[in-house]
Amino acid sequence: MQTSYTPRRIVTLMAMIVTAVLFSAGSSRAQIPYNVFLPLSLSDSAKDDPFRSVELVAPEASIASDDVFWTAERMAEAQPLSETSALSDAQEAALAEQLDALDARYQRVDASASGTEGGGLPDPIAAQQARSEFPDAWLSPDDNVDDFAPAAIDGTPSIYTLYLGNYYSQSWKSYPYTAIGKLYFSAGYCTASVIRPGIIVTAAHCVYDTSTNRWYSNFRFVPAERNGTAPYGSFSWTNVRILNGYINLSDWSVSGGRYDVAVINLANNSAGRPVNYYTGYLGSIYGQGYVRNVTEIGYPSNLTNGRWYTYISHAESYQYSTDVLGYGGRSGPGASGSPSMLAYAPFQAGNINLVNGVASGVNLTSRWMTAARFTATNFRDLCNASGCGIP
């Protein structure tokens, strides 16, 4: 195992283009040749810039192919992607120092830069429309579970409050829960959330494998998935962006979590509607302090029913590493990419329910989580490159 941070040479990435990488997780996987678009004329001083975005674009044919590929059986068989650190505490500390130095070298904006972008509600008749378009998903056996989930409880250091989310009817029929769902791909599934119209955010390790230097494939987003059903349908993708800093990590690590952010543009569904028509979209915020009350919502498979329903967790965050949040919790595999939100407020939109980061790592023994803390460089610029339009 390589324990030091050594940025990969651009020729390695070029080779990935020339060889037309295909990622397949089994003989039944669709063999779709994806194109990787990378800057081809980077100077020596820029090729290792950790904040430069790298894009994967889906051929038009892949949208129709993914419609056929992601059957209900395949989704049920998909395994959650693990979120673990392969490095020791000492290795993490050494890596953090080297990454800090690299960040300082390429920092392009004032580290104090911050901003907020409000969310938006679903279309007023979206629920009625979805019930008509996906009737089977609205007639699930446990649709009569109408108990109310506990109210939001602010956490304190090393303490968290955890309870089931969209197991309850009001937590899959209502905003902001509708904007959070499962992201399926060739290696399994993670959690993602709608962050702008037609755009979702998740963790970079849910779209790119640093151990094989390959993109995953067959991305499919199912908002508000519950008990194996898709009450608002599912959506294919058109392109995905991550940071060069994540690609350059020789091994995934918690300290490297500052780059563990991915933004995906989704295609409209067969009815021509964007995902946010049904779900609305969460607000976003970047450049905030480390000590905040946070709410995380995702699909942690290690918890009872976590594979089939979301869990909602409240805690108080702290600084784990540079641009990496730490907070109490035990959401395991499948919860990678979950939104870590500030100003959580059920059933309301605006400058609330603000995604401040995405779940990146977990220590199930000590029961703490980490999340990439959104900044101008690891989130705003990356999202804007995909059309977010965030000031």
Side-chain angles (χ1 to χ4, degrees):
M1 178 186 297
Q2 185 174 349
T3 59
S4 61
Y5 178 82
T6 305
R8 289 190 176 89
R9 297 177 61 84
I10 193 66
V11 294
T12 303
L13 299 176
M14 290 289 291
M16 184 168 58
I17 303 173
V18 175
T19 56
V21 170
L22 296 175
F23 186 91
S24 176
S27 58
S28 64
R29 299 298 187 187
Q31 298 296 302
I32 303 174
Y34 293 136
N35 297 316
V36 181
F37 291 85
L38 295 172
L40 302 183
S41 59
L42 292 178
S43 65
D44 288 341
S45 62
K47 67 183 181 181
D48 295 331
D49 182 351
F51 301 115
R52 181 179 291 273
S53 66
V54 181
E55 182 181 27
L56 175 68
V57 178
E60 291 184 7
S62 72
I63 298 176
S65 176
D66 285 346
D67 286 341
V68 176
F69 179 82
W70 283 115
T71 62
E73 291 75 17
R74 274 205 175 97
M75 288 184 179
E77 294 170 356
Q79 298 300 306
L81 190 70
S82 297
E83 42 182 6
T84 57
S85 173
L87 305 184
S88 68
D89 290 344
Q91 291 166 345
E92 285 281 3
L95 177 59
E97 291 183 3
Q98 295 178 44
L99 293 181
D100 285 344
L102 189 65
D103 284 353
R105 176 181 175 189
Y106 287 103
Q107 193 77 21
R108 291 195 293 263
V109 298
D110 187 337
S112 64
S114 62
T116 302
E117 191 74 9
L121 293 170
D123 188 277
I125 65 168
Q128 177 183 346
Q129 189 72 41
R131 185 186 293 272
S132 172
E133 294 176 358
F134 317 108
D136 292 343
W138 287 71
L139 294 175
S140 57
D142 60 354
D143 190 36
N144 61 346
V145 179
D146 289 318
D147 296 336
F148 285 94
I153 301 174
D154 293 335
T156 54
S158 303
I159 303 296
Y160 60 94
T161 300
L162 181 70
Y163 54 90
L164 272 167
N166 68 358
Y167 173 79
Y168 302 101
S169 293
Q170 96 277 12
S171 293
W172 66 269
K173 296 179 180 178
S174 306
Y175 177 92
Y177 312 108
T178 51
I180 300 162
K182 273 189 183 178
L183 175 67
Y184 289 93
F185 50 96
S186 53
Y189 69 85
C190 283
T191 301
S193 56
V194 186
I195 197 77
R196 299 295 295 158
I199 299 174
I200 61 174
V201 65
T202 188
H205 73 265
C206 297
V207 303
Y208 188 88
D209 184 359
T210 57
S211 64
T212 61
N213 201 27
R214 293 180 177 181
W215 295 91
Y216 294 130
S217 61
N218 302 101
F219 300 111
R220 192 79 176 180
F221 180 62
V222 184
E225 180 182 307
R226 67 188 300 270
N227 198 28
T229 64
Y232 303 101
S234 63
F235 296 81
S236 190
W237 65 293
T238 60
N239 60 287
V240 54
R241 285 182 183 271
I242 60 176
L243 294 169
N244 202 33
Y246 186 77
I247 288 179
N248 284 344
L249 288 174
S250 56
D251 290 290
W252 184 88
S253 69
V254 176
S255 291
R258 72 191 72 178
Y259 307 127
D260 199 7
V261 181
V263 176
I264 303 176
N265 292 80
L266 299 177
N268 291 349
N269 66 7
S270 58
R273 297 188 179 93
V275 63
N276 52 286
Y277 172 88
Y278 303 94
T279 67
Y281 57 93
L282 302 177
S284 63
I285 193 167
Y286 63 89
Q288 299 303 294
Y290 288 92
V291 181
R292 302 296 297 270
N293 291 324
V294 299
T295 298
E296 180 185 298
I297 304 178
Y299 293 86
S301 66
N302 60 302
L303 300 177
T304 303
N305 288 323
R307 178 181 177 86
W308 307 111
Y309 304 98
T310 58
Y311 269 83
I312 302 174
S313 180
H314 305 284
E316 186 175 65
S317 62
Y318 57 90
Q319 182 174 1
Y320 177 89
S321 183
T322 301
D323 294 333
V324 178
L325 301 172
Y327 46 89
R330 57 190 179 101
S331 296
S336 292
S338 299
S340 177
M341 298 185 291
L342 304 183
Y344 168 72
F347 321 127
Q348 302 176 58
N351 288 333
I352 52 179
N353 297 309
L354 304 171
V355 183
N356 183 52
V358 288
S360 180
V362 63
N363 185 315
L364 290 175
T365 301
S366 300
R367 297 191 175 184
W368 51 258
M369 312 286 299
T370 63
R373 167 182 169 266
F374 283 174
T375 66
T377 47
N378 76 352
F379 169 70
R380 186 197 63 185
D381 294 350
L382 182 69
C383 203
N384 284 346
S386 294
C388 288
I390 299 174

